[in-house]
Amino acid sequence: MYVGTLSFDLLLGDVRSLKEKRSVVRPIVAELQRKYAVSAAEVGEQDLYRRAVIGLAVVSGDAGHLTDVLDRCERMVAGRPEVELLSVRRRFHGEHDDA
């Protein structure tokens, strides 16, 4: 079994309230969940309206498939014009990791 996670640190464009922030972040999270069958949520910077941290996790029996899904998710978020991707943190846990 392999588990992969991504954490996206985002700077939001022309957003002036937490309500506007939700209208930008929710569709990104929903698309990640729908298109790539990952668990995703806003996981940080909830009190700042121009910043967001989105986290996602994927479980797979195949390391190659897991890497492919993580790569596609990263490209999708990086390609969104309404956000600037400041950083991405990727973690990969395989069957040979220590407990």
Side-chain angles (χ1 to χ4, degrees), residues 6-22:
L6 288 175
S7 177
F8 302 105
D9 187 6
L10 304 173
L11 177 64
L12 307 181
D14 189 25
V15 173
R16 294 189 174 90
S17 70
L18 292 175
K19 185 176 180 179
E20 287 181 18
K21 175 186 180 176
R22 283 192 306 274

Side-chain angles (χ1 to χ4, degrees), residues 6-7 18 33 67 70 72 76-77 79-80 86:
L6 288 175
S7 177
L18 292 175
Q33 292 169 335
T67 300
L70 294 177
R72 287 187 280 143
M76 189 277 286
V77 173
R80 298 294 290 241
L86 299 176

Side-chain angles (χ1 to χ4, degrees), residues 2-82:
Y2 299 94
V3 178
T5 63
L6 288 175
S7 177
F8 302 105
D9 187 6
L10 304 173
L11 177 64
L12 307 181
D14 189 25
V15 173
R16 294 189 174 90
S17 70
L18 292 175
K19 185 176 180 179
E20 287 181 18
K21 175 186 180 176
R22 283 192 306 274
S23 72
V24 172
V25 173
R26 279 186 178 168
I28 294 171
V29 170
E31 184 175 355
L32 287 166
Q33 292 169 335
R34 184 182 70 252
K35 243 180 150 173
Y36 303 111
V38 300
S39 294
E42 183 180 1
V43 296
E45 306 294 1
Q46 283 99 340
D47 57 338
L48 301 176
Y49 62 88
R50 290 212 55 226
R51 295 290 297 274
V53 178
I54 295 175
L56 68 82
V58 185
V59 177
S60 179
D62 178 6
H65 175 259
L66 182 65
T67 300
D68 182 52
V69 171
L70 294 177
D71 288 345
R72 287 187 280 143
C73 289
E74 186 173 340
R75 281 193 302 272
M76 189 277 286
V77 173
R80 298 294 290 241
E82 67 274 22

